PDB file of all heavy atoms in Angstrom:
ATOM      1  N   ALA Z  76      -9.932 -17.169   1.923  1.00  0.00           N
ATOM      2  CA  ALA Z  76     -10.194 -16.373   0.731  1.00  0.00           C
ATOM      3  C   ALA Z  76      -9.069 -16.630  -0.241  1.00  0.00           C
ATOM      4  O   ALA Z  76      -7.921 -16.751   0.133  1.00  0.00           O
ATOM      5  CB  ALA Z  76     -10.273 -14.890   1.065  1.00  0.00           C
ATOM      6  N   SER Z  77      -9.396 -16.713  -1.556  1.00  0.00           N
ATOM      7  CA  SER Z  77      -8.357 -16.944  -2.546  1.00  0.00           C
ATOM      8  C   SER Z  77      -8.584 -16.066  -3.747  1.00  0.00           C
ATOM      9  O   SER Z  77      -9.702 -15.675  -4.034  1.00  0.00           O
ATOM     10  CB  SER Z  77      -8.340 -18.419  -2.958  1.00  0.00           C
ATOM     11  OG  SER Z  77      -9.539 -18.730  -3.628  1.00  0.00           O
ATOM     12  N   CYS Z  78      -7.495 -15.720  -4.466  1.00  0.00           N
ATOM     13  CA  CYS Z  78      -7.582 -14.895  -5.668  1.00  0.00           C
ATOM     14  C   CYS Z  78      -6.741 -15.527  -6.752  1.00  0.00           C
ATOM     15  O   CYS Z  78      -5.640 -16.015  -6.485  1.00  0.00           O
ATOM     16  CB  CYS Z  78      -7.073 -13.479  -5.405  1.00  0.00           C
ATOM     17  SG  CYS Z  78      -8.076 -12.568  -4.229  1.00  0.00           S
ATOM     18  N   GLY Z  79      -7.213 -15.488  -7.984  1.00  0.00           N
ATOM     19  CA  GLY Z  79      -6.457 -16.029  -9.104  1.00  0.00           C
ATOM     20  C   GLY Z  79      -5.516 -14.998  -9.654  1.00  0.00           C
ATOM     21  O   GLY Z  79      -5.762 -13.815  -9.575  1.00  0.00           O
ATOM     22  N   SER Z  80      -4.425 -15.422 -10.252  1.00  0.00           N
ATOM     23  CA  SER Z  80      -3.502 -14.517 -10.919  1.00  0.00           C
ATOM     24  C   SER Z  80      -2.798 -15.264 -12.027  1.00  0.00           C
ATOM     25  O   SER Z  80      -2.760 -16.483 -12.041  1.00  0.00           O
ATOM     26  CB  SER Z  80      -2.478 -13.953  -9.931  1.00  0.00           C
ATOM     27  OG  SER Z  80      -1.614 -14.966  -9.487  1.00  0.00           O
ATOM     28  N   LYS Z  81      -2.232 -14.510 -12.960  1.00  0.00           N
ATOM     29  CA  LYS Z  81      -1.433 -15.073 -14.035  1.00  0.00           C
ATOM     30  C   LYS Z  81      -0.082 -14.401 -14.016  1.00  0.00           C
ATOM     31  O   LYS Z  81       0.011 -13.184 -14.030  1.00  0.00           O
ATOM     32  CB  LYS Z  81      -2.121 -14.855 -15.377  1.00  0.00           C
ATOM     33  CG  LYS Z  81      -3.447 -15.622 -15.518  1.00  0.00           C
ATOM     34  CD  LYS Z  81      -4.058 -15.368 -16.874  1.00  0.00           C
ATOM     35  CE  LYS Z  81      -5.364 -16.131 -17.045  1.00  0.00           C
ATOM     36  NZ  LYS Z  81      -5.967 -15.872 -18.366  1.00  0.00           N
ATOM     37  N   THR Z  82       0.947 -15.187 -13.986  1.00  0.00           N
ATOM     38  CA  THR Z  82       2.286 -14.642 -13.877  1.00  0.00           C
ATOM     39  C   THR Z  82       3.116 -15.077 -15.066  1.00  0.00           C
ATOM     40  O   THR Z  82       3.180 -16.263 -15.373  1.00  0.00           O
ATOM     41  CB  THR Z  82       2.981 -15.145 -12.582  1.00  0.00           C
ATOM     42  OG1 THR Z  82       2.147 -14.823 -11.472  1.00  0.00           O
ATOM     43  CG2 THR Z  82       4.335 -14.496 -12.423  1.00  0.00           C
ATOM     44  N   ALA Z  83       3.757 -14.129 -15.723  1.00  0.00           N
ATOM     45  CA  ALA Z  83       4.586 -14.453 -16.887  1.00  0.00           C
ATOM     46  C   ALA Z  83       5.914 -15.019 -16.441  1.00  0.00           C
ATOM     47  O   ALA Z  83       6.525 -14.518 -15.514  1.00  0.00           O
ATOM     48  CB  ALA Z  83       4.802 -13.199 -17.728  1.00  0.00           C
ATOM     49  N   LYS Z  84       6.342 -16.044 -17.082  1.00  0.00           N
ATOM     50  CA  LYS Z  84       7.628 -16.666 -16.771  1.00  0.00           C
ATOM     51  C   LYS Z  84       8.517 -16.587 -17.994  1.00  0.00           C
ATOM     52  O   LYS Z  84       8.179 -17.124 -19.037  1.00  0.00           O
ATOM     53  CB  LYS Z  84       7.444 -18.129 -16.363  1.00  0.00           C
ATOM     54  CG  LYS Z  84       6.444 -18.323 -15.210  1.00  0.00           C
ATOM     55  CD  LYS Z  84       6.970 -17.787 -13.904  1.00  0.00           C
ATOM     56  CE  LYS Z  84       6.009 -18.070 -12.769  1.00  0.00           C
ATOM     57  NZ  LYS Z  84       6.463 -17.536 -11.504  1.00  0.00           N
ATOM     58  N   GLY Z  85       9.640 -15.881 -17.887  1.00  0.00           N
ATOM     59  CA  GLY Z  85      10.639 -15.938 -18.926  1.00  0.00           C
ATOM     60  C   GLY Z  85      10.456 -14.958 -20.054  1.00  0.00           C
ATOM     61  O   GLY Z  85      11.099 -15.097 -21.080  1.00  0.00           O
ATOM     62  N   GLY Z  86       9.581 -13.937 -19.916  1.00  0.00           N
ATOM     63  CA  GLY Z  86       9.501 -12.939 -20.975  1.00  0.00           C
ATOM     64  C   GLY Z  86       8.081 -12.574 -21.327  1.00  0.00           C
ATOM     65  O   GLY Z  86       7.124 -13.180 -20.880  1.00  0.00           O
ATOM     66  N   ASP Z  87       7.958 -11.530 -22.183  1.00  0.00           N
ATOM     67  CA  ASP Z  87       6.658 -10.974 -22.515  1.00  0.00           C
ATOM     68  C   ASP Z  87       5.733 -11.974 -23.193  1.00  0.00           C
ATOM     69  O   ASP Z  87       4.527 -11.927 -23.020  1.00  0.00           O
ATOM     70  CB  ASP Z  87       6.822  -9.743 -23.408  1.00  0.00           C
ATOM     71  CG  ASP Z  87       7.450  -8.585 -22.665  1.00  0.00           C
ATOM     72  OD1 ASP Z  87       7.607  -8.677 -21.445  1.00  0.00           O
ATOM     73  OD2 ASP Z  87       7.769  -7.602 -23.329  1.00  0.00           O
ATOM     74  N   ASN Z  88       6.286 -12.883 -24.006  1.00  0.00           N
ATOM     75  CA  ASN Z  88       5.450 -13.759 -24.798  1.00  0.00           C
ATOM     76  C   ASN Z  88       5.408 -15.185 -24.274  1.00  0.00           C
ATOM     77  O   ASN Z  88       4.936 -16.082 -24.939  1.00  0.00           O
ATOM     78  CB  ASN Z  88       5.935 -13.767 -26.254  1.00  0.00           C
ATOM     79  CG  ASN Z  88       5.896 -12.390 -26.869  1.00  0.00           C
ATOM     80  OD1 ASN Z  88       4.907 -11.682 -26.717  1.00  0.00           O
ATOM     81  ND2 ASN Z  88       6.955 -12.007 -27.559  1.00  0.00           N
ATOM     82  N   ASP Z  89       5.918 -15.374 -23.078  1.00  0.00           N
ATOM     83  CA  ASP Z  89       5.957 -16.714 -22.486  1.00  0.00           C
ATOM     84  C   ASP Z  89       5.203 -16.657 -21.172  1.00  0.00           C
ATOM     85  O   ASP Z  89       5.769 -16.419 -20.127  1.00  0.00           O
ATOM     86  CB  ASP Z  89       7.404 -17.139 -22.264  1.00  0.00           C
ATOM     87  CG  ASP Z  89       7.501 -18.536 -21.659  1.00  0.00           C
ATOM     88  OD1 ASP Z  89       6.489 -19.263 -21.656  1.00  0.00           O
ATOM     89  OD2 ASP Z  89       8.585 -18.877 -21.180  1.00  0.00           O
ATOM     90  N   SER Z  90       3.908 -16.837 -21.212  1.00  0.00           N
ATOM     91  CA  SER Z  90       3.067 -16.654 -20.038  1.00  0.00           C
ATOM     92  C   SER Z  90       2.542 -17.986 -19.550  1.00  0.00           C
ATOM     93  O   SER Z  90       2.081 -18.810 -20.317  1.00  0.00           O
ATOM     94  CB  SER Z  90       1.895 -15.723 -20.349  1.00  0.00           C
ATOM     95  OG  SER Z  90       2.384 -14.462 -20.755  1.00  0.00           O
TER      96      SER Z  90
END
Side-chain angles (χ1 to χ4, degrees):
S77 66
C78 295
S80 68
K81 294 181 179 179
T82 305
K84 306 291 184 182
D87 292 352
N88 300 314
D89 180 14
S90 300

